[in-house]
């Protein structure tokens, strides 16, 4: 199994709360990604990073922010959670070996009430 | 822009039989990569197989193989000798250098394996 970790695995919070979803990898990968998986199982890119101090927005505007201060750490923050943010959030990373395959974490299942 | 289309929301196969999952894609770029990922219920997404667009030979990984038809922009997955553990959601995905190598996923095909 790939060495990529996400915490918490499950989270139920109320509307308006600020939350941070953690993602860490021990593979030394430069590229990291956040995907949102909606209840219908569709996956959408929300943020990605090429390396330290690099962040880019994806296709889906999720009203979240990310930071990449260390290579291994790529946290996702929701400043004010809403019920529409209820989803599974998947973190992934990839290296530069030429295959560009991504390794995924176990996901955080978020419910906003 | 890239698009990936999986036209089969659900498929069913009997144990030990063969099943093919369909995927078509569209991209204007010449440099791209294609993947099939598997997501078992409540478990981690894992890579099943990958195909580089510049390679003509179809990729194979044990019981999994692809039929890559570049001109038709088709990338189907064949699972031979299906096992109960193959039951999962299967996602077809593409990536390109200009997208930061982010994955663009299809909507997925839910595969049921019956004894």
């Amino acid at each position: 199994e790939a060495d990529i970790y996400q915490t918490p695995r499950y989270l139920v919070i109320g509307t308006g709360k600020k939350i941070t979803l953690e993602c860490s990898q021990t593979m030394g990968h430069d590229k990291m990604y956040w995907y949102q998986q909606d209840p219908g199982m569709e996956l959408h890119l929300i943020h990605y990073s090429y390396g330290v101090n690099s962040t880019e927005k994806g296709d889906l505007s999720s009203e979240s922010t990310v930071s990449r201060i260390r290579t291994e750490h790529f946290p996702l923050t929701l400043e004010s959670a809403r019920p529409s943010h209820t989803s599974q959030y998947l973190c992934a990373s990839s290296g530069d070996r030429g295959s560009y395959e991504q390794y995924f974490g176990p996901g955080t299942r978020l419910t906003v009430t | 822009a890239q698009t990936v289309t999986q036209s089969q929301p659900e498929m069913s196969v009997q144990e030990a039989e063969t099943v093919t999952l369909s995927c078509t894609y569209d991209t204007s770029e010449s440099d791209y990569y294609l993947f099939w990922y598997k997501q078992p219920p409540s478990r981690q997404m894992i890579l099943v197989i990958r195909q580089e667009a510049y390679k003509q030979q179809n990729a194979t990984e044990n019981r999994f193989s692809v039929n890559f038809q570049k001109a038709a922009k088709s990338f189907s997955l064949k699972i031979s000798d299906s096992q109960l553990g193959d039951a999962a959601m299967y996602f077809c995905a593409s990536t390109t250098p200009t997208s930061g190598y982010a994955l663009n996923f299809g909507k997925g095909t839910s595969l049921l394996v019956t004894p």
Side-chain angles (χ1 to χ4, degrees):
Chain A
E1 276 189 19
D3 297 322
I4 181 162
Y5 309 98
Q6 291 186 244
T7 57
R9 292 291 309 277
Y10 303 92
L11 181 62
V12 180
I13 60 166
T15 297
K17 299 291 186 184
K18 177 180 178 179
I19 57 167
T20 296
L21 308 184
E22 302 287 348
C23 175
S24 294
Q25 50 96 4
T26 58
M27 297 172 283
H29 286 168
D30 286 330
K31 301 181 191 65
M32 295 188 75
Y33 307 85
W34 277 104
Y35 297 92
Q36 184 175 341
Q37 187 168 33
D38 64 31
M41 301 297 280
E42 284 192 52
L43 290 140
H44 305 279
L45 176 71
I46 47 176
H47 293 284
Y48 61 102
S49 168
Y50 291 114
V52 171
N53 295 325
S54 148
T55 61
E56 302 285 343
K57 285 193 173 184
D59 304 322
L60 184 67
S61 173
S62 69
E63 299 159 349
S64 58
T65 59
V66 292
S67 63
R68 190 89 184 274
I69 299 171
R70 303 197 317 266
T71 297
E72 63 271 21
H73 194 216
F74 190 43
L76 175 80
T77 297
L78 281 170
E79 291 293 334
S80 179
R82 297 208 304 264
S84 61
H85 293 137
T86 295
S87 281
Q88 171 146 260
Y89 291 82
L90 301 180
C91 181
S93 71
S94 69
D96 291 317
R97 293 176 299 163
S99 64
Y100 306 110
E101 65 192 71
Q102 293 185 14
Y103 296 90
F104 284 81
T108 293
R109 190 169 295 280
L110 173 67
T111 302
V112 184
T113 60
Chain B
Q2 305 172 69
T3 59
V4 177
T5 302
Q6 293 179 251
S7 57
Q8 304 154 318
E10 292 180 350
M11 291 285 283
S12 181
V13 64
Q14 275 196 314
E15 225 178 337
E17 297 297 309
T18 295
V19 65
T20 298
L21 308 184
S22 301
C23 173
T24 59
Y25 63 93
D26 194 15
T27 178
S28 57
E29 302 193 37
S30 58
D31 184 13
Y32 58 91
Y33 301 80
L34 300 168
F35 305 90
W36 279 97
Y37 279 87
K38 170 185 177 181
Q39 188 178 34
S42 301
R43 291 184 63 190
Q44 220 146 326
M45 182 94 76
I46 57 173
L47 178 71
V48 175
I49 199 164
R50 65 174 175 269
Q51 176 81 43
E52 293 86 346
Y54 62 85
K55 289 188 177 178
Q56 292 187 335
Q57 188 171 5
N58 289 326
T60 63
E61 287 287 342
N62 301 315
R63 298 182 295 108
F64 299 87
S65 62
V66 298
N67 184 5
F68 176 44
Q69 300 290 324
K70 193 170 184 177
K73 295 186 176 177
S74 170
F75 182 61
S76 60
L77 175 70
K78 185 170 83 171
I79 306 173
S80 304
D81 186 25
S82 297
Q83 300 174 1
L84 294 176
D86 294 334
M89 198 75 173
Y90 285 82
F91 293 96
C92 179
S94 67
T95 191
T96 66
T98 57
S99 70
Y101 293 106
L103 292 170
N104 189 45
F105 288 94
K107 292 186 177 183
T109 296
S110 178
L111 179 66
L112 175 68
V113 182
T114 56

